[in-house]
Amino acid sequence: MIIDTLQQLYKKDLTRLKTEIASYGKEENLWVVNGEISNTAGNLCLHLIGNLNAFIGAQIGGTGYVRDRTFEFSGKDVSREELIRQIDDTITVVQNSLAGVDENLLQSDYPLVVFKEKMTHEFFLIHLASHLNYHLGQINYHRRLLDI
């Protein structure tokens, strides 16, 4: 079933996110903006945490998570240790939330209109996995650019 695959992908990629954050040689580089790069790795990490906790945890898992999207892009100097703790918490939330999903839910409409039109849970869960990977690549590039 696709849910098993999605659980594996989210866990693998969130673990990679944790590895990227831990791999910064200088912790302060998590919060550096350089040249054309407008988002820091720390802010992208906060954004991914907020995104998955809101769209999977709160909406599918019923966690009650309240997103602060403004802070995701404006917050600064959250410690590496705290980011990693939040990533670990997000892995748990995503895994637990997806464990309760069945085929009927996958084919039903996602409760929020995030884009301009309705979409199924299945479509949005796949979109969220690709969104995670997109920003994971940006963080990897950011780290390699600054940690030379």
Side-chain angles (χ1 to χ4, degrees), residues 72-85:
E72 292 169 21
F73 290 100
S74 65
K76 300 288 179 230
D77 300 323
V78 176
S79 72
R80 178 191 341 241
E81 180 180 303
E82 177 61 16
L83 291 174
I84 289 171
R85 186 196 63 73

Side-chain angles (χ1 to χ4, degrees), residues 5 9 13 19-20 22 28 45-46 53 72 84 89 93 97-98 101 108 112-114 122 130 133 140-141 145:
T5 302
L9 289 171
D13 292 335
T19 300
E20 284 296 332
E28 61 270 15
C45 182
L46 290 172
N53 275 284
E72 292 169 21
I84 289 171
D89 291 348
V93 165
S97 297
L98 293 180
V101 172
S108 69
L112 301 176
V113 176
V114 179
E122 179 179 55
S130 64
N133 260 281
N140 174 271
Y141 180 74
L145 184 68

